[in-house]
Amino acid sequence: VWGDTDVVALNGSLVLYAPKVASPAQDFYQIRPDADGHFTLTSGDSIGNLGERVRFELDSEGVAQRVWVGPNPYERVAWL
């Protein structure tokens, strides 16, 4: 998972996808919640991301401001 990444709810699951790929509906990563409040990448491509830990940093109101996929942070961008 590199570059811009969106996190959305899809069919009762959370998924990560890159909006600039040719077919985001077919090229996404599903994440599974773990008991400790983190997530694990459970599906996606085979470039080594499967099994990576995913965690969200929330602000005081509980809104995600950053998502970490393994060691890589992705900052929230608000569109006006």
Side-chain angles (χ1 to χ4, degrees):
V1 179
W2 296 311
D4 291 338
T5 301
D6 286 351
V7 180
V8 297
L10 179 66
N11 297 328
S13 297
L14 284 179
V15 297
L16 308 174
Y17 74 96
K20 292 185 178 183
V21 298
S23 182
Q26 295 177 347
D27 190 13
F28 63 89
Y29 299 85
Q30 186 171 12
I31 59 176
R32 177 195 71 223
D34 296 330
D36 62 1
H38 292 87
F39 296 81
T40 301
L41 281 171
T42 58
S43 66
D45 66 23
S46 60
I47 62 171
N49 291 359
L50 293 179
E52 288 271 14
R53 298 276 288 172
V54 177
R55 65 183 172 90
F56 294 90
E57 288 184 18
L58 309 178
D59 65 14
S60 62
E61 296 180 12
V63 176
Q65 297 300 309
R66 181 179 295 135
V67 61
W68 291 81
V69 179
N72 304 306
Y74 297 89
E75 301 290 329
R76 179 183 181 96
V77 176
W79 297 97
L80 301 175

